[in-house]
Amino acid sequence: MPEYEPVIGLEVHAQLLTRSKLFCPCSTEFGKSPNSNVCPVCLGLPGSLPVLNAKALRLAVRAATALGCTIQSRSIFARKNYFYPDLPKGYQISQYEEPFSTRGKLDIRVDGVERTAGITRVHMEEDAGKNVHGVGGDSSVDLNRAGVPLIEIVGDPDLRSSAEAAAYLKTLRDLLIFIGVNDGNLEEGSFRCDANVSIRPKGSEELGTRTELKNINSFRFVQRAIDVEIARQGAILDAGGKIDQQTRSYDPDTNKTATLRSKEDAHDYRYFPEPDLPPLVIDDDLVRSERAKIAKLPQELRAEYVAELGLSEQAAVTLTQHPEYVRFFDEARQLFPEPVKIANWVLTEVLRDTHVRGLSAEFPVSPEQVAELVRLVSGGEISGKQAKVVFSLIQGTSKSPGAVVEERGMRVVSDEGELEALCSGIVRANEKQAAMYRAGKTGLLGYFVGQAMKKTGGSANPKLVNQIFQRILGGSEPA
Ligand code: ADP
Ligand code: MG
Ligand code: ZN
C-alpha cells in the first residue's frame, strides 16, 4: 500500500463587523426575533435596489490587506443563482470571476515550525437566511441573516495535515479579530469553515479528487473531521476504489462523514454580473487608510517583543493573541518600564482570570494595578509571595496595591536594627542548631532564615536576614 499525503484547502466565511447589512440598512444584530431585521432589499422584493455598505467595503479591504493580498482597483459583483428557501432573491450577490482581492498568504506555526499557506482570493458576498426545522412540525425561514456582509477567504490547497488546517484557522481567526474585522464567534456562525480534503501517494505532485466538508463549527471538530475523511479516502484507495467528488457533512456524535451531494448533482450556478450594482472601484486612499489601521500585525509585534523587550517567544505569542492583551500589556509596561516582569505577571496571574468575548476582554485588574504591583516587588518593598496575596486582594476591585500593602502592614521589614534583634533572639532560642552550624553544618542557615520569615509573617527582607544570620552565626559576634 502506498503512503498517502493529505492535501487540504480551506474556505472561510467571516462576517464583517458592521451594524447594517451589505446592501440595505437592516441591522445585523444577532438573536433578534425571526424576520425582524428585514426590508424590501434583503427580502428580494421587486423594484428594490442594493446599495453597497461603505463600512463593509473598508473592513473587507482591511482583511485582504492584512493577508497580503493585492487589491484590485476594479472588481465585479455577480449573481450566483440557485433555489433554496433561505435565499429570497433566488440568487446570492457575490464576486466570482473578478474578486476585489487576490493572492495573499498566511504564516502558520505547527509544532514550532513556521509554514506559509497561500491565499487564493478574498471576496465579498452576502449571507443567506436560515431554515428553522421542526417549528410546530413545519419548517420556517428566518431571514435576519439574509444580506449580512461576509468575506470569503479561499485558501490554496497548501495544508498537509489536520493540525496545519487547525493552525491555519486559528491564526486566521486571531488575525481577523486582531484587526477588528470579525468577532471570531464560531457558535453564532460569524466564522465558518468548509474544508476541502484529498489525498495522493507521497511524492506525487498531482492533486487527488477532493471532497468538501461543509460548515464545521468548532476547531476540534474541523481537525477530527479532516482526520476521519483522510482515513476514509485512504481505505477506499487501498481497496482499489476511486474517490467520488462530493460535498460531505461531519457528525461529531458518530465521528463519521456522510455524503450530502455528489458532483453529478452539483449546482450550475449560472453566475452573471449583477446588473443592479456598478463595478466596484476601490481607490488608493481607501487602501492606504485601511493599511494604516493595521500598521502592526500580531506577527510584527511578536518579533518586536522578543527583539526589543527581551520577552521569550512563548510570552510574545501569548501576549499578541488578542488586541486587548496587547493594549493591557503595553499600557502596564509604559507605566513601569520593566517589560519582562510585567509580562510575567500578565501571563501567570492576569490572564488566568481574563474573559475574552469577541473583540473585548474583561481583566481581573487594571494595567495601573499591575504596574504598581510590579514596582513594589521590584523595589524590594514587598516579597514575591506577598505580591501574590496583594494580587488576590485587588482582583475585581479598584484598590491600589500600595494601599493594600499599607492596610495590611505588609511592607517588607528592612530595618537592620529591628531584624538584628529578631535574629539574635532566634539564635538564642536555637542553641543546638547554632552550635551545629558553627561546627560546619552551614546548611542550617536556611533553617534560621525560615524561622525569621515565619516570625514576621514573611515580611522580613530575606536578603538582609540572610546576611545578619551569617554574621551572627559566623561566630564573630556573640548572639
Ligand atoms: P469551489 O469549491 O467553489 O469549487 P475551488 O475549486 O476554487 O472552488 O476550490 C475551493 C477550495 O478547494 C480551495 O480552498 C482549494 O484550495 C481547495 N482545493 C481545490 N482542489 C483541491 C484538492 N484536490 N484537494 C484539496 N483541496 C482542494
Ligand atoms: Mg467550495
Ligand atoms: Zn434589509
Side-chain angles (χ1 to χ4, degrees), residues 24 26 38-39 42:
C24 63
C26 291
V38 293
C39 76
C42 53

Side-chain angles (χ1 to χ4, degrees), residues 10-11 13 80 152 154 194-196 210 212 214 247 261 269:
L10 302 177
E11 293 165 271
H13 286 93
K80 179 178 178 179
E152 178 172 346
V154 181
D194 301 335
N196 297 272
R210 71 181 150 121
E212 181 171 0
K214 273 284 173 201
T247 302
R261 54 178 183 268
Y269 292 117

Side-chain angles (χ1 to χ4, degrees), residues 230-259:
I230 290 169
R232 189 191 69 88
Q233 293 185 11
I236 292 176
L237 294 188
D238 283 348
K242 264 181 59 191
I243 307 299
D244 186 22
Q245 188 175 336
Q246 288 178 342
T247 302
R248 298 179 69 84
S249 63
Y250 171 72
D251 180 353
D253 293 332
T254 60
N255 198 29
K256 286 200 162 93
T257 66
T259 311

